[in-house]
Amino acid sequence: MNLLHGLFSVLFIVEFSELQGKHGFFSQALLKGEVIETMSQAKFVAGIHAPNHPNDARRKTRICTAFILSKTEIITNAHCVYDAPYVYVVAGAKVVSDANQKIKIKVEKENFACHPYYNYLIVGAFDIVKITLKTPLEFSDTVGSIELVDKDYKLNDPSEVVTAYGYGVLNNIGPLILRRCDANYMSDVERPNTFNISQTLYFTTGEATNDGEIITPGDSGGPVVSKTNGKIVGITTSINGTIGGRGAFLPITPFLDFIRDPKSVKPIPPPLKPNEAKFIADIMVPGKFLTAYKNDLADVDENFQLKFNAIILSETEILTCAKSVLGAPYVYVTVNKLSSNAKEIKVTEDQIEIHEKYASSGMTFGIAKITLQEPLEFNDNVGKIHLVDKDYKMNDPSEMVTVYGDMIMHGTMRTRRYDTKYLDGTICKSKLGAVFDANHLMCYILDESMGTPFTFGGPMISKKNNKLVGMTIFHLPGKPIIFQPIAPLLDWIRKPKVRRHQRRRI
């Protein structure tokens, strides 16, 4: 697997793999939704009323569907309750918008447990919330609970039928009457090419009928039930998740631990503050100039850009990966990257110097130095990192180092840092094989709780002397991360820039 393929695998597959599994599905057909005649047929379905947002009069009351897990537990979409100070849970009602509901319980915001990875800007992903009722429901012929499927349950039989429930309107005409519809699903292999790879958390239940879309306002958060075992297998996400007339649903099995105990899922660690990453910069490279990846990027749009990390050495010197800038007539350097005052600087090829021993087919000596024409203004959020001494040797396996860089964790990319130990070269060689040159490179093991690295060129800093000892340059999923030790390259880094045409062609 080459580097670029690894990068995109990291972004779109690795971070979703734990929740995705084999649960991405498209349906073959959706039958016309039928109105529930009596709530005894769907007593586990509830409605959600969220009020207007107090700071936005344009926001209408949100109506969503939910399902009842127990007398005190309700499950629905996180976007149904997001930023709402309270909601009403309606149970035992065929028409959720009726003013006179027999069971209508007010639930305050502190009783919402949204999935910690939910982000309202990313439609559908981790879109689940558990609502806890202080006043238990009274179960009856029209109000009851439903079970969840087991953790090892897989939707892998295309002949299996599921039933979706929701209070969605048809053709945007009310009232919001509870309906259900049956459908088969389509396997991953059969799903159309129009499916967005970033939405592999979803499966669908069919195509729209002439009587209305499949997913309409009010359906969000509704249960998807297996007709084989009568248990919950999915949850409707949102109308924004529909693709080509199909509805999007979230498989429930990856969220069983969260549903049983929301606190069992640790929140995503916060990103670094601007002053904590003052010596880190970004390199934005137009895709059409990424000659080192020409085979991978043959068909990319000319506006496509790939981002790499970089290290600020002084007011005029930036260090980054050679492969990121190779062959580019210009790139953009961004400093103060984590603040609202980020500054972007265009750098042309005459300001870029690549190590003369670097070969695009390998990784050794994969280092480049950028010399800025205008010095940076150092402040609380922009500064330099000091280089390690020339006689420094990485030969103490107990030494801790801090790695900085852009990491992806559960679909969110942020600048992070984590502490680790570097490995002996023989261990790196045994784990990485021919791709690793033990004479010039070293490696470290990724702490998966911090995410997966997406961009390279980030610094490795010794915790013993707080100086730059390495730069991350390569990673394959499931393998140790390769870094370039800095001490052997100090003479090259410190020498004055060679004033000659630097562009290489391959």
Side-chain angles (χ1 to χ4, degrees):
M1 180 187 293
N2 58 39
L3 174 60
L4 189 69
H5 185 264
L7 288 174
F8 282 98
S9 296
V10 166
L11 177 58
F12 294 124
I13 299 174
V14 174
E15 284 302 320
F16 284 153
S17 61
E18 180 182 354
L19 291 181
Q20 175 187 344
K22 296 294 183 180
H23 300 294
F25 299 100
F26 271 109
S27 67
Q28 295 172 345
L30 176 65
L31 305 181
K32 177 180 178 181
E34 62 174 339
V35 175
I36 298 297
E37 294 181 0
T38 170
M39 280 304 296
S40 61
Q41 299 173 322
K43 59 183 181 179
F44 51 85
V45 181
I48 300 292
H49 285 202
N52 292 332
H53 190 278
N55 298 323
D56 188 353
R58 298 170 299 176
R59 293 279 294 274
K60 296 181 179 180
T61 299
R62 280 167 284 181
I63 302 293
C64 285
T65 308
F67 62 86
I68 302 169
L69 195 58
S70 73
K71 291 183 178 181
T72 58
E73 298 170 303
I74 307 293
I75 305 297
T76 188
N77 280 155
H79 77 260
C80 295
V81 305
Y82 174 75
D83 73 14
Y86 61 87
V87 298
Y88 290 101
V89 174
V90 177
K94 286 175 55 178
V95 182
V96 75
S97 55
D98 278 352
N100 299 318
Q101 298 292 346
K102 293 182 179 179
I103 301 178
K104 187 174 182 180
I105 302 173
K106 185 177 181 179
V107 185
E108 302 292 341
K109 184 176 184 177
E110 57 264 27
N111 296 311
F112 309 158
C114 292
H115 197 286
Y117 304 158
Y118 172 70
N119 185 331
Y120 72 97
L121 296 175
I122 305 174
V123 175
F126 306 99
D127 194 358
I128 187 170
V129 61
K130 182 177 182 179
I131 298 174
T132 302
L133 305 180
K134 288 187 176 180
T135 303
L137 293 169
E138 293 185 8
F139 283 179
S140 64
D141 290 342
T142 58
V143 179
S145 62
I146 190 170
E147 293 183 45
L148 302 169
V149 290
D150 300 328
K151 199 166 187 177
D152 58 356
Y153 173 83
K154 289 181 172 57
L155 281 168
N156 55 11
D157 182 357
S159 66
E160 182 175 354
V161 179
V162 294
T163 304
Y165 295 79
Y167 284 104
V169 297
L170 292 181
N171 297 321
N172 293 315
I173 301 174
L176 291 91
I177 301 174
L178 182 60
R179 290 179 169 84
R180 65 182 175 190
C181 57
D182 293 344
N184 301 107
Y185 59 85
M186 186 177 289
S187 69
D188 288 343
V189 177
E190 298 171 300
R191 67 189 183 197
N193 293 331
T194 55
F195 188 76
N196 186 334
I197 194 169
S198 67
Q199 295 180 324
T200 49
L201 288 173
Y202 305 101
F203 67 93
T204 66
T205 60
E207 300 184 30
T209 68
N210 293 330
D211 298 297
E213 297 105 4
I214 26 179
I215 305 297
T216 63
D219 283 330
S220 292
V224 179
V225 180
S226 168
K227 297 202 75 167
T228 302
N229 56 36
K231 297 180 180 181
I232 298 286
V233 298
I235 179 172
T236 303
T237 54
S238 73
I239 58 173
N240 293 328
T242 59
I243 304 167
R246 294 180 165 94
F249 296 80
L250 199 65
I252 209 70
T253 52
F255 299 97
L256 291 178
D257 290 341
F258 165 77
I259 291 173
R260 287 163 183 152
D261 180 12
K263 293 182 180 180
S264 66
V265 181
K266 297 180 180 179
I268 297 177
L272 297 178
K273 297 177 182 178
N275 64 346
E276 295 175 314
K278 60 193 303 181
F279 45 81
I280 301 178
D282 281 343
I283 305 291
M284 300 298 296
V285 187
K288 59 185 176 181
F289 302 137
L290 283 164
T291 56
Y293 309 111
K294 61 181 180 181
N295 294 330
D296 305 277
L297 301 174
D299 299 322
V300 299
D301 184 274
E302 63 178 12
N303 295 319
F304 171 83
Q305 289 186 328
L306 195 59
K307 184 175 76 169
F308 299 85
N309 288 145
I311 306 162
I312 301 175
L313 298 182
S314 72
E315 289 89 340
T316 58
E317 296 173 304
I318 307 288
L319 204 65
T320 191
C321 295
K323 197 164 188 174
S324 64
V325 296
L326 179 64
Y330 62 86
V331 299
Y332 296 96
V333 176
T334 302
V335 298
N336 200 6
K337 56 174 286 187
L338 298 184
S339 80
S340 58
N341 296 318
K343 181 179 180 181
E344 187 176 83
I345 306 165
K346 186 175 181 179
V347 174
T348 55
E349 63 178 335
D350 62 308
Q351 300 170 252
I352 302 171
E353 184 171 9
I354 295 174
H355 198 290
E356 58 272 10
K357 293 185 179 180
Y358 172 69
S360 60
S361 58
M363 288 176 282
T364 56
F365 303 101
I367 190 168
K369 185 169 71 172
I370 295 172
T371 302
L372 304 178
Q373 292 180 345
E374 297 292 334
L376 296 173
E377 293 184 8
F378 283 178
N379 54 45
D380 290 342
N381 297 333
V382 180
K384 66 180 180 180
I385 187 70
H386 293 284
L387 294 166
V388 73
D389 298 329
K390 191 174 181 179
D391 59 356
Y392 173 84
K393 296 187 185 301
M394 304 189 82
N395 54 11
D396 181 0
S398 67
E399 182 178 352
M400 296 296 294
V401 292
T402 302
V403 178
Y404 292 75
D406 288 340
M407 316 263 181
I408 302 171
M409 188 174 189
H410 306 293
T412 301
M413 183 165 68
R414 297 179 179 179
T415 302
R416 307 182 190 280
R417 65 182 173 194
Y418 62 90
D419 295 341
T420 187
K421 296 178 182 180
Y422 50 83
L423 301 181
D424 179 83
T426 56
I427 298 176
C428 299
K429 186 68 176 178
S430 66
K431 292 180 177 293
L432 290 161
V435 73
F436 182 77
D437 181 350
N439 294 321
H440 300 96
L441 303 172
M442 296 185 73
C443 74
Y444 61 91
I445 297 295
L446 170 73
D447 178 357
E448 295 183 357
S449 68
M450 289 301 298
T452 302
F454 176 64
T455 55
F456 305 118
M460 171 187 281
I461 297 173
S462 169
K463 291 185 74 70
K464 181 168 58 177
N465 56 33
N466 201 35
K467 294 182 179 181
L468 182 70
V469 297
M471 180 176 69
T472 302
I473 60 173
F474 191 79
H475 175 232
L476 289 174
K479 299 287 186 180
I481 299 172
I482 300 174
F483 71 91
Q484 171 68 63
I486 291 297
L489 303 178
L490 284 179
D491 287 343
W492 182 88
I493 293 172
R494 287 171 171 158
K495 74 178 181 179
K497 186 180 183 302
V498 178
R499 294 295 176 182
R500 59 184 176 84
H501 189 62
Q502 293 294 329
R503 187 175 183 182
R504 293 185 177 195
R505 300 185 184 276
I506 58 173

